[in-house]
Amino acid sequence: MANNSILEEYVETLEEAEIAEKKKAQKKSLRKESAFGMALIAPYILIFIIFSIIPTVMGVVFSFMSYNPYNTADIRFVGFQNYINIFNFDLPISKSFWSSFGTMFIYVAIGTPLAVIIPFFLAYYINMKPPGYKFFRALIYFPNIVSITIMGIIFGNMFAGDSSGLINSWLGTEIHWLSGEPWKDDILRWVVIFIATEWWCTGSNFIIFAAAFRDVPKNLYEACEMDGGGKWQKILHVTIPNIKSTVTVCLFNILIGYLGLYGQVIVLNDFTNANIMVSPTMFIQHYLSDFSYARITGYVCACALMFGIVVMFFSTIQRKAMGEHRKKSKRTEDCIAYFADRDRFTTEVGND
Amino acid sequence: MGNVLKERKQNSFMSLQNLVKVYPNGEKAVYNFDLDIAKNEFIVIVGPSGCGKSTTLRMIAGLEDISGGDIYLESELLNYKPSSERKMAIVFQSYALYPQMTVYNNIAFPLTINKYPMPKENAVLKANAEIEKLLSTVAWNKFIGVLFNVYNGNGKAKDEQIATIFGITLYAAKLLYKAFGAYCRETLESLDGKAEEISVAIRAELKPLVEAENAKVQESGVKLDEDFCEVDGDGNKIIEPRKYTPYEIKTRVYETAEKLDLIPYLDKLPKELSGGQMQRVALGRAIIKNVPVFMMDEPLSNLDAKLRLSMRSEIVKLHNRIGATTIYVTHDQTEAMTMASRIVVMSRGFIQQIGTPEEVYQDPANIFVAKFIGSPSMNVFNIYYDPESGCLERNDVKIPLKAEFKKRHDEFYATAVNKFEGLQSNFDEKAREEILKILSSTGEYKDEKKQQKKKGLIALIKRLIEKQKNKKIVVDEYAYEKEVLGEKLAQLKTNATAKHGLLVGIRPERIKIEKVVAGKKYKGVVKVKSTVVELLGGEYNIHFDLFDKDMVCKLDATEKVTTDDELAVSFSPDDLYIFDFVTGDRI
Amino acid sequence: MKAKRKGLISILLLCAAVFAVTMLAACGGGGGSGPIGVGEHEIDSKWWSTTGEIQKDGEDIVFNNVEIKLTTVVAGTDLVKFNTIVNRFNAEYLDKINIVPSSVTEESYNSQVAKQISNNANAPDLLMTHQKEFKSLADSKLIQPFNEVIEKSEIDLDLDNFAAGLSKYSSLNYKDQMFTVPVDMHSEVVIYNKKLLGDNALPTNHSELVALCKKIATEKNITPIAASTHSPSFYRFVFNTAILQNGGTFFDTSNYNADWASESNMPAYKAAIASIRELITENIMKKQQSTGDALSAFLNDKALFYFVEPWSVESVLNAYSGDKNDISGTSMSKWFAADPSKDCADHIYGDAHAFGISKTVTDITKKAAICEFIKWFSENTSAGIPWANAGHYSASKTLTVNSSYTAENMVANFLTKFYADIDDFQTMDISPYTYQYKSYLEQLYLAMISNDTADNDESDIRAYQKKVNDEIATINMM
């Protein structure tokens, strides 16, 4: 009896040992795999930590302090004072910050639909392969190659305010295209900025849309035609739903890009409004880079954080709005009820 | 336009006259497709890949431009009409369902975006007539009971419910609903015996509306018939295109879904459905349009074998039920044989034969049709014909033929030689097409022998040099075809007189085969050994070599057969199909 | 694997938390100092240090291959001359002291230098920038005073040897401290064409200027004043000069705020812009003429007076095709004053360069070498003369009385003419917000000069004053 139990125990321990061995071997192979994976992504993770995570955390920490990068003795912890100051609209700098939001939102509200609609139609027409379409395709994409500074130089020279600007000398006028104050008289400046941005950005969105159009199955167009759909119905029921995911991604990129409006407003301006902050990025960059404003670095960090929160908010809204939301369709129930109803007359009522 | 064509156009339901399709790069895909279709026919166009059947279908549907020929539907020319006006519906191989719409919306789609010609009904008067009828014929208690239940039920669209239950128009239901409304606050019992009161009340509600409507009709001078539809001077209903109302769409979609067993799937998106279900949705989308012509482009190719079998019968049943004319394209000859009322066999753009399944099976017009139709396909072998003995001979096998065969044979070759000589003397485009047609039936490849401009730098240089020498290089486009013509003509001439080879075919089931039993005497058989034995369940497909060809025959599986067994094979000369290998036609 | 990833994330957060705590700890020290107030202060604790000993060989200090990094705000054509001067010094002091100059433009000078010094990364040893910029550098504890090194090295670098008007700013309001040594003075200057002037007298006040110009304009059918009114050198100096000449001030010394719209200043500012505007409306000066056009007008004898940067005078002389002796300089004194009888009507506004020592310099010998260079610069004609040709009038009294210096053509016919009385030369008073005053004054000028009438002047002045004060309040927010 005792022998049996000892034997049983022995067998049990053997089994346990086997299981433990198996687990060890499994862990080892997993570890090898994961070690290799870690090694591959280590460079990126390192750079990401050093150049993205740590500065972000530092920025957040500084926003709770009064931080002077040149005068370390002047640093002290101030808690939420910076944030209170941001929302204190009496302070002129806070007013400037929030008004820069205003101009930026208008820009985004007008620019984002433009940046989607224009490439959409261009891609649609190129997709019909008119003669010379390859040439036009290259031509449309071409402006995207240059950098934003080059774009600024080109358009800055074209629309320069004095009579030496190319447009002005061609038309013989002296229109100050790029000057003016926001909300007062700088409509022309924004028109120029929109033209320049469209010229520059259309290419990349166009390529994406053109590829998306090609992926729409041809059969669907034929089915729609057989069902009686005209050109607009085809666009509405076949083209748009099939490229919806592409449009969503595109829209997201455009939105984020436009919220960070900086390049265009920095290069396309006049000396009269060079100091007017028309976008939060411009605001942050201006106040962070200057020695004179070193003392308010903490406040500017808080501004940057606020800006980041706003951008996150917008991107979340956009994702929710473009996400798949299915209306609850209750057709099956309805259909069953329908057939029940149809028979109701004979069963419940009946003819005499 | 020739009289014959005109007659055809007027007499047949749908007339396809000499359809030709030439692609922009010069390649011809369909040559002279000529077919008359009667109402309610199930036409199957069958052929191997690339034979032009899908192209033909798309031409009829309007998805491809017609390069030549005409299409008439009920004497109306369809060539230049857009697809939506051709009164056709099509089911694609890939179903082509709108991925963002539910099944319900997919089926409803054709009704939502199109206007359909319908008679103009006067809603008020019709509703009045219906309600009168209802009030006079219905059993009161149950009537009130139903109305009461509907009223106090918690369904949403109560007027639609009433319309469904009583089978009246929505307008009538709305009126009824409104009229009955006052009474439904009370309990069911209290409504007992109020029948008179209620019907009086309902009629009273209706009266002013009806009178107003009648006055309006009188004023406008519009004439109405007994169905309250507007008619013109001759008493014909005025047909106007209008869109279906949501209620009408709903009823139609539900009816269609019921026919196709799709009710549980009405809320699903196409990506959530299986192949068969998607197939049925595509069918539903087609049949809801109520058009006279259906077209299907290999709809069953994407389904698995078992589903294919069941869907085959479904489609045929559907066809019979809705009574539409169907044009069906497939590469599977089984489908063609089982479903069609008439089969059109195509190869390389040419029609090879048109006929009922029996005709095509029992009476193939040429070697291509013979080999294509039938599973397993017809056994075809080469054999010599001796005009003196009137027998088919090969090695030591002699098959005597009937006397009338010789007559047929001689006539056949005489006409063939004449025809070819005629072609040779006047070689034009039509002649070329004839040659291509013959090549398509015999199955010979034209590309290998085609005289191409030699490519390559050296050849180019050579050509340039010869150009310099002023040697004119004449590229005769018909050179190749003429060459072929010449060869064939020579062959035909030989065949007409001398001993020559023939292609002979016999269907597998017509070969008599039995296992060789030791000791039994066999007469008039050939003893062979089987190479492959396929058990299908109830019968065997037995392969054996004869006349240098792999032949197949069928045998009941009552006894087991293996490859070691010796078999005695024989067949009757009457079961033979004899083809000329030059033209491919049957003698 | 999931556990590993989670582990990584927690390490990350730990790093960040450690960092944060360190930063907080670093500031735990002070209750923090607020902005440096107005008025004079004492230095409680030194933020610089001194190491090493000075070795002397008799009277002279022993310099053994001491390298000095000099960052200067001078650029363009000036820089070429400056480098020549530095090379001369290096040649003279071969193996002893070597100056390595580098140039940073004015807009980014403070930011860049501040970064370098505070991080002690490639920090310069010797700074040379405009006098008015040094206050904010000192307030940020980035420069150190000269007192100690002058005492220990006994190099004779005495502020009494420099123009009083400039050396009075040297303490930067730190009691008894000497932070800067002045180098030179420069402003917008006026040169004229003697031929076109003819027998007429040079104008000594505004009405004479206008009368003379009108006369010449009708006689010779030209626009007598060639000036690029929208170029920085014009509006930085001429407008400010006009303000000073009308008795205006740039800021309230009691609180550093701009007081342009105050009762006393508003009329001065209005008069200043009015006097410049009058030149345009009277058609004796073109509005928004480009620099190229102005230059070519003067070179072709189509302008009587030419407003130009002093460092371009030499090249204008070289480019002039006629007799160079026909061109001479004159002073702007009293030209924009509404009331020429006031004392302030003589004032001319300009910039002055100055030297300062970075706080990163610790070795006493190095500091002494710096003083040696500065002394050499302020006393030697091999420095002074090229620098004068670059348009900068020396602030050193030693040079300005030196005969070979005064004999130099540029000095004799131009610099001394530009600044009749050295004591009338004004630069901006001590304030840490000189950048703000400067940039908004410029914008105010551009806004006002673009209007042809004086209707909006008052509101403009008020608006821009508010902007400056808002910014100052912002900087002092914390």
Side-chain angles (χ1 to χ4, degrees):
Chain A
M1 245 329 204
N3 272 351
N4 260 346
S5 64
I6 293 179
L7 203 60
E8 280 173 18
E9 275 184 41
Y10 180 66
V11 169
E12 263 182 43
T13 36
L14 265 184
E15 284 177 7
E16 282 174 15
E18 259 185 56
I19 295 174
E21 278 283 329
K22 271 199 194 160
K23 278 197 184 160
K24 251 215 281 188
Q26 194 185 39
K27 270 197 195 164
K28 193 169 173 197
S29 80
L30 277 177
R31 224 181 297 145
K32 263 196 186 167
E33 268 184 49
S34 67
F36 185 61
M38 284 291 149
L40 282 178
I41 63 172
Y44 173 74
I45 293 274
L46 212 62
I47 293 181
F48 183 65
I49 293 179
I50 294 179
F51 289 104
S52 297
I53 299 279
I54 290 187
T56 311
V57 173
M58 281 171 71
V60 172
V61 170
F62 290 159
S63 68
F64 291 104
M65 298 172 18
S66 156
Y67 181 74
N68 185 339
Y70 303 114
N71 202 353
T72 44
D74 204 14
I75 299 175
R76 60 189 199 286
F77 186 69
V78 290
F80 281 97
Q81 184 61 37
N82 281 325
Y83 292 96
I84 296 174
N85 283 339
I86 291 182
F87 288 104
N88 179 1
F89 293 107
D90 290 331
L91 284 178
I93 195 171
S94 303
K95 262 194 280 196
S96 158
F97 178 61
W98 291 113
S99 85
S100 72
F101 264 95
T103 39
M104 180 198 74
F105 279 145
I106 305 263
Y107 172 78
V108 170
I110 300 181
T112 312
L114 270 185
V116 172
I117 292 176
I118 294 182
F120 180 89
F121 280 106
L122 280 176
Y124 183 75
Y125 285 116
I126 294 286
N127 201 44
M128 296 203 270
K129 302 216 175 139
Y133 75 95
K134 283 193 185 164
F135 171 70
F136 286 116
R137 211 164 53 183
L139 200 65
I140 293 175
Y141 183 69
F142 189 68
N144 200 229
I145 299 179
V146 304
S147 72
I148 197 171
T149 338
I150 305 280
M151 174 203 92
I153 294 178
I154 295 176
F155 279 86
N157 273 327
M158 266 171 69
F159 288 96
D162 53 12
S163 48
S164 65
L166 298 176
I167 300 267
N168 272 338
S169 54
W170 175 50
L171 293 176
T173 54
E174 260 207 44
I175 305 179
H176 289 275
W177 298 94
L178 296 177
S179 58
E181 271 197 40
W183 307 114
K184 280 200 226 157
D185 54 358
D186 68 345
I187 291 274
L188 280 178
R189 180 174 176 212
W190 288 105
V191 168
V192 173
I193 290 181
F194 276 123
I195 294 176
T197 314
E198 282 312 310
W199 176 85
W200 184 58
C201 293
T202 299
S204 57
N205 291 335
F206 163 80
I207 293 285
I208 296 175
F209 280 128
F213 277 124
R214 281 200 287 270
D215 281 340
V216 179
K218 197 155 173 268
N219 265 352
L220 283 181
Y221 285 115
E222 290 174 351
C224 193
E225 193 176 331
M226 289 296 293
D227 286 339
K231 196 165 79 152
W232 281 112
Q233 266 107 355
K234 278 196 210 160
I235 293 183
L236 198 59
H237 293 287
V238 179
T239 311
I240 290 186
N242 276 297
I243 62 170
K244 189 164 173 218
S245 54
T246 314
V247 173
T248 310
V249 171
C250 235
L251 202 62
F252 184 76
N253 284 341
I254 294 171
L255 189 71
I256 299 295
Y258 278 21
L259 280 172
L261 172 68
Y262 177 70
Q264 292 94 314
V265 287
I266 281 284
V267 290
L268 288 174
N269 59 13
D270 221 36
F271 51 69
T272 54
N273 54 19
N275 270 335
I276 301 182
M277 306 296 130
V278 287
S279 93
T281 321
M282 197 178 168
F283 175 92
I284 294 168
Q285 191 270 352
H286 179 253
Y287 282 101
L288 268 185
S289 63
D290 218 315
F291 170 67
S292 340
Y293 305 112
R295 312 244 338 282
I296 56 170
T297 304
Y299 174 85
V300 182
C301 287
C303 288
L305 199 64
M306 287 263 73
F307 177 54
I309 291 176
V310 169
V311 170
M312 265 199 286
F313 176 68
F314 265 92
S315 57
T316 316
I317 289 186
Q318 192 254 346
R319 273 187 55 208
K320 285 269 159 67
M322 301 277 300
E324 301 240 334
H325 35 87
R326 277 200 30 201
K327 283 188 284 199
K328 264 247 152 186
S329 171
K330 293 219 187 92
R331 292 294 181 184
T332 306
E333 277 176 42
D334 203 29
C335 188
I336 297 172
Y338 169 83
F339 283 109
D341 282 341
R342 222 182 38 171
D343 301 326
R344 226 161 143 179
F345 190 44
T346 45
T347 52
E348 282 187 40
V349 184
N351 270 329
D352 284 346
Chain B
M1 183 166 127
N3 270 336
V4 175
L5 293 175
K6 214 170 175 182
E7 254 187 65
R8 276 174 56 191
K9 163 188 148 186
Q10 283 171 345
N11 290 342
S12 53
F13 177 69
M14 188 153 140
S15 182
L16 310 168
Q17 298 175 352
N18 295 329
L19 289 179
V20 176
K21 174 72 187 174
V22 183
Y23 282 116
N25 59 3
E27 206 179 300
K28 230 174 177 177
V30 177
Y31 296 84
N32 281 344
F33 189 96
D34 207 72
L35 179 66
D36 284 340
I37 305 176
K39 222 163 182 256
N40 291 346
E41 272 202 281
F42 197 115
I43 299 281
V44 175
I45 306 178
V46 68
S49 309
C51 68
K53 50 193 198 299
S54 284
T55 318
T56 313
L57 191 76
R58 289 162 66 88
M59 275 203 286
I60 303 174
L63 300 171
E64 299 257 7
D65 290 327
I66 300 174
S67 312
D70 298 317
I71 304 180
Y72 293 95
L73 178 65
E74 289 178 318
S75 303
E76 247 185 284
L77 181 68
L78 287 186
N79 286 26
Y80 307 108
K81 281 199 176 172
S83 311
S84 44
E85 291 181 28
R86 292 198 184 196
K87 298 196 216 158
M88 299 180 186
I90 186 166
V91 177
F92 289 98
Q93 181 178 6
S94 61
Y95 323 121
L97 299 180
Y98 302 109
Q100 78 277 8
M101 297 188 195
T102 57
V103 167
Y104 177 89
N105 284 325
N106 260 295
I107 299 180
F109 186 71
L111 300 182
T112 53
I113 58 170
N114 252 339
K115 293 193 178 158
Y116 291 86
M118 282 180 280
K120 283 174 83 170
E121 246 180 23
N122 190 309
V124 180
L125 298 178
K126 173 114 187 162
N128 180 46
E130 284 186 330
I131 293 180
E132 282 294 327
K133 181 161 164 238
L134 210 53
L135 290 177
S136 51
T137 57
V138 89
W140 258 119
N141 291 336
K142 291 198 180 154
F143 178 63
I144 301 284
V146 167
L147 273 178
F148 191 82
N149 284 337
V150 168
Y151 230 93
N152 296 321
N154 43 9
K156 285 219 185 127
K158 295 197 175 127
D159 41 6
E160 283 183 11
Q161 270 187 291
I162 295 178
T164 315
I165 295 174
F166 296 112
I168 54 180
T169 60
L170 190 61
Y171 194 81
K174 282 197 179 138
L175 289 175
L176 203 58
Y177 182 73
K178 206 168 72 155
F180 198 69
Y183 295 92
C184 280
R185 310 283 162 71
E186 314 161 25
T187 60
L188 192 52
E189 291 74 30
S190 64
L191 293 175
D192 269 341
K194 285 209 183 155
E196 204 54 48
E197 199 188 314
I198 295 176
S199 33
V200 162
I202 293 176
R203 288 200 175 92
E205 277 258 2
L206 286 177
K207 197 146 168 252
L209 289 170
V210 171
E211 283 177 355
E213 191 64 26
N214 273 327
K216 219 164 62 168
V217 167
Q218 288 276 21
E219 231 184 273
S220 58
V222 168
K223 283 210 273 225
L224 299 174
D225 66 354
E226 63 268 8
D227 283 331
F228 304 102
C229 301
E230 293 184 19
V231 291
D232 60 15
D234 302 322
N236 299 325
K237 291 200 179 105
I238 297 180
I239 307 281
E240 237 192 35
R242 71 165 171 93
K243 277 204 174 159
Y244 280 103
T245 64
Y247 177 68
E248 287 175 322
I249 294 178
K250 196 168 85 156
T251 45
R252 281 184 159 70
V253 174
Y254 287 160
E255 306 273 336
T256 312
E258 200 218 356
K259 270 190 224 157
L260 293 166
D261 207 10
L262 284 172
I263 296 183
Y265 306 108
L266 283 174
D267 298 318
K268 293 203 189 279
L269 293 176
K271 66 183 179 199
E272 299 166 15
L273 301 174
S274 74
Q277 290 154 358
M278 282 203 275
Q279 182 57 267
R280 280 181 278 155
V281 176
L283 276 171
R285 192 174 62 179
I287 66 180
I288 202 171
K289 296 209 287 190
N290 244 344
V291 284
V293 179
F294 275 162
M295 300 201 280
M296 307 199 196
D297 191 351
E298 304 198 42
L300 305 181
S301 312
N302 285 359
L303 304 176
D304 59 74
K306 203 135 186 259
L307 206 49
R308 235 180 276 175
L309 287 179
S310 57
M311 287 304 293
R312 260 186 2 219
S313 46
E314 289 288 330
I315 293 180
V316 176
K317 273 193 238 166
L318 202 62
H319 163 85
N320 293 334
R321 199 148 42 138
I322 53 180
T325 313
T326 311
I327 306 177
Y328 188 103
V329 165
T330 181
H331 62 270
D332 185 348
Q333 56 93 34
T334 324
E335 282 174 27
M337 291 292 287
T338 52
M339 296 164 84
S341 64
R342 266 201 301 163
I343 299 182
V344 176
V345 183
M346 281 183 78
S347 165
R348 294 202 209 155
F350 291 98
I351 296 185
Q352 302 297 325
Q353 185 175 1
I354 305 178
T356 63
E358 296 82 25
E359 288 169 19
V360 167
Y361 189 78
Q362 307 285 18
D363 210 359
N366 59 32
I367 187 77
F368 178 84
V369 176
K371 277 164 97 170
F372 189 78
I373 303 284
S375 171
S377 43
M378 182 190 279
N379 298 305
V380 176
F381 49 90
N382 287 318
I383 205 167
Y384 285 102
Y385 170 71
D386 190 351
E388 289 151 24
S389 62
C391 290
L392 298 171
E393 306 180 337
R394 187 175 166 142
N395 301 340
D396 45 357
V397 177
K398 234 178 170 180
I399 306 172
L401 295 170
K402 293 208 177 97
E404 47 123 23
F405 173 73
K406 187 168 163 55
K407 203 166 118 211
R408 273 196 350 246
H409 170 277
D410 292 334
E411 269 175 30
F412 175 85
Y413 278 106
T415 30
V417 168
N418 274 337
K419 184 168 121 194
F420 272 57
E421 278 175 347
L423 288 178
Q424 199 177 44
S425 58
N426 180 18
F427 202 96
D428 56 359
E429 193 60 30
K430 274 195 104 172
R432 179 159 170 264
E433 290 187 9
E434 272 298 321
I435 296 291
L436 287 175
K437 183 162 184 199
I438 289 169
L439 286 178
S440 76
S441 347
T442 58
E444 287 167 328
Y445 286 101
K446 61 176 210 166
D447 290 316
E448 287 173 14
K449 290 196 185 172
K450 194 163 185 181
Q451 185 188 56
Q452 279 182 342
K453 262 197 183 167
K454 292 219 179 85
K455 290 196 175 161
L457 191 59
I458 302 192
L460 175 68
I461 295 177
K462 274 194 189 153
R463 276 206 301 275
L464 287 173
I465 293 175
E466 291 195 345
K467 242 191 186 172
Q468 294 284 27
K469 291 190 192 163
N470 276 328
K471 254 193 188 175
K472 265 202 161 183
I473 304 170
V474 178
V475 178
D476 185 3
E477 326 166 8
Y478 300 142
Y480 170 67
E481 283 83 7
K482 280 190 183 158
E483 198 186 311
V484 170
L485 175 59
E487 281 175 25
K488 292 205 180 280
L489 185 54
Q491 275 288 347
L492 285 173
K493 284 191 175 146
T494 333
N495 288 358
T497 49
K499 181 174 175 189
H500 61 98
L502 279 178
L503 286 173
V504 174
I506 184 159
R507 294 262 179 221
E509 59 273 8
R510 286 268 166 248
I511 299 181
K512 305 187 191 100
I513 184 166
E514 53 185 285
K515 233 162 121 172
V516 169
V517 172
K520 191 161 168 201
K521 272 259 183 115
Y522 292 98
K523 194 169 140 209
V525 298
V526 177
K527 292 213 179 120
V528 293
K529 245 193 165 195
S530 57
T531 50
V532 179
V533 174
E534 294 172 337
L535 175 64
L536 295 168
E539 58 180 9
Y540 282 107
N541 279 350
I542 301 180
H543 295 245
F544 57 90
D545 285 333
L546 185 62
F547 302 134
D548 287 332
K549 284 264 180 353
D550 176 49
M551 316 251 271
V552 188
C553 70
K554 290 186 185 276
L555 179 64
D556 269 343
T558 42
E559 251 184 78
K560 183 164 167 150
V561 178
T562 59
T563 47
D564 295 326
D565 291 331
E566 221 187 335
L567 305 155
V569 169
S570 68
F571 45 79
S572 147
D574 295 330
D575 293 328
L576 291 175
Y577 296 93
I578 304 179
F579 302 93
D580 166 43
F581 67 87
V582 179
T583 56
D585 291 330
R586 185 143 152 258
I587 300 178
Chain C
M1 191 111 95
K2 261 198 176 170
K4 273 228 158 145
R5 215 186 303 149
K6 282 194 183 163
L8 244 170
I9 293 179
S10 51
I11 291 177
L12 243 89
L13 289 172
L14 195 62
C15 283
V18 164
F19 224 120
V21 170
T22 331
M23 298 311 304
L24 287 174
C27 70
S33 41
I36 307 283
V38 289
E40 251 193 4
H41 340 275
E42 302 259 345
I43 293 185
D44 318 318
S45 52
K46 296 201 295 189
W47 56 81
W48 63 94
S49 58
T50 313
T51 58
E53 291 253 329
I54 296 202
Q55 289 177 335
K56 282 216 182 154
D57 175 17
E59 278 290 318
D60 303 322
I61 306 178
V62 173
F63 295 110
N64 206 349
N65 276 328
V66 183
E67 190 167 290
I68 309 283
K69 282 200 279 259
L70 162 66
T71 302
T72 176
V73 80
V74 166
T77 43
D78 282 4
L79 184 59
V80 177
K81 294 215 168 52
F82 187 75
N83 284 337
T84 322
I85 298 173
V86 167
N87 288 337
R88 284 187 191 164
F89 176 84
N90 286 342
E92 211 177 296
Y93 282 75
L94 192 59
D95 290 334
K96 293 192 200 159
I97 309 179
N98 189 40
I99 310 274
V100 179
S102 64
S103 160
V104 178
T105 50
E106 197 180 339
E107 294 86 43
S108 37
Y109 189 91
N110 273 7
S111 305
Q112 181 163 328
V113 160
K115 265 196 210 110
Q116 288 172 329
I117 295 178
S118 60
N119 295 333
N120 204 352
N122 288 332
D125 303 314
L126 174 59
L127 280 73
M128 175 180 167
T129 180
H130 297 289
Q131 167 66 53
K132 58 187 197 279
E133 307 289 355
F134 275 103
K135 171 72 172 160
S136 45
L137 287 172
D139 283 352
S140 296
K141 303 190 172 111
L142 297 172
I143 54 174
Q144 56 174 301
F146 282 84
N147 305 51
E148 202 178 322
V149 61
I150 290 179
E151 198 188 304
K152 288 214 176 128
S153 67
E154 291 169 359
I155 296 182
D156 180 22
L157 203 55
D158 193 345
L159 282 179
D160 290 337
N161 289 334
F162 293 90
L166 297 175
S167 54
K168 70 183 180 198
Y169 298 125
S170 170
S171 69
L172 299 179
N173 274 345
Y174 285 90
K175 191 157 180 210
D176 295 331
Q177 300 293 333
M178 174 175 150
F179 272 101
T180 62
V181 179
V183 180
D184 60 38
M185 59 184 88
H186 54 270
S187 70
E188 187 85 336
V189 296
V190 181
I191 57 179
Y192 69 96
N193 189 322
K194 283 192 198 155
K195 280 193 305 213
L196 287 177
L197 181 68
D199 299 325
N200 298 303
L202 283 170
T204 55
N205 62 34
H206 184 76
S207 30
E208 279 182 30
L209 172 68
V210 173
L212 171 64
C213 287
K214 277 181 158 170
K215 181 165 173 235
I216 301 288
T218 36
E219 268 181 33
K220 312 270 195 231
N221 200 13
I222 54 173
T223 313
I225 302 184
S228 172
T229 57
H230 279 67
S231 72
S233 62
F234 185 87
Y235 55 70
R236 265 183 215 161
F237 298 122
V238 174
F239 181 51
N240 293 5
T241 306
I243 294 173
L244 286 181
Q245 288 187 354
N246 282 298
T249 59
F250 298 119
F251 63 93
D252 186 346
T253 43
S254 67
N255 59 11
Y256 289 146
N257 274 2
D259 57 352
W260 307 342
S262 69
E263 269 192 47
S264 48
N265 266 334
M266 178 68 93
Y269 277 69
K270 285 170 77 172
I273 193 67
S275 66
I276 299 180
R277 205 183 268 131
E278 192 184 339
L279 299 178
I280 298 175
T281 48
E282 295 280 4
N283 286 326
I284 49 183
M285 183 167 81
K286 277 208 193 106
K287 183 169 159 181
Q288 223 176 332
Q289 195 176 30
S290 72
T291 40
D293 287 347
L295 176 61
S296 63
F298 185 72
L299 287 178
N300 294 325
D301 292 336
K302 292 254 188 326
L304 171 57
F305 294 112
Y306 182 36
F307 279 79
V308 68
E309 307 104 25
W311 41 87
S312 305
V313 172
E314 201 183 19
S315 59
V316 169
L317 285 177
N318 290 338
Y320 187 62
S321 47
D323 184 3
K324 300 193 196 319
N325 290 325
D326 281 340
I327 301 187
S328 186
T330 181
S331 167
M332 270 191 251
S333 171
K334 294 206 183 76
W335 276 21
F336 301 98
D339 181 1
S341 62
K342 288 209 265 198
D343 273 342
C344 54
D346 287 320
H347 287 169
I348 298 182
Y349 175 83
D351 266 341
H353 288 127
F355 286 118
I357 310 180
S358 151
K359 80 153 187 206
T360 52
V361 183
T362 48
D363 184 19
I364 188 75
T365 317
K366 225 180 188 178
K367 298 191 207 185
I370 290 176
C371 292
E372 185 76 16
F373 171 68
I374 296 175
K375 190 160 149 66
W376 181 90
F377 198 100
S378 64
E379 290 178 355
N380 258 294
T381 50
S382 50
I385 291 185
W387 204 230
N389 279 326
H392 301 281
Y393 196 34
S394 176
S396 154
K397 286 188 187 158
T398 325
L399 272 180
T400 47
V401 302
N402 184 313
S403 49
S404 40
Y405 186 81
T406 45
E408 183 71 16
N409 177 40
M410 180 62 95
V411 176
N413 292 327
F414 292 95
L415 289 177
T416 41
K417 297 273 171 28
F418 295 149
Y419 312 110
D421 188 346
I422 249 190
D423 289 326
D424 283 332
F425 184 87
Q426 304 277 326
T427 182
M428 200 164 307
D429 212 335
I430 303 175
S431 159
Y433 307 111
T434 49
Y435 175 77
Q436 274 71 19
Y437 307 138
K438 179 183 92 145
S439 59
Y440 283 105
L441 272 174
E442 290 172 14
Q443 289 189 28
L444 170 63
Y445 166 79
L446 289 171
M448 289 203 289
I449 198 70
S450 57
N451 296 331
D452 292 324
T453 58
D455 302 333
N456 292 331
D457 284 351
E458 262 191 48
S459 54
D460 281 341
I461 295 172
R462 258 187 260 279
Y464 278 93
Q465 177 194 271
K466 182 169 185 309
K467 284 190 190 179
V468 176
N469 291 337
D470 282 347
E471 273 217 24
I472 294 175
T474 303
I475 294 175
N476 289 321
M477 202 166 64
M478 304 309 300

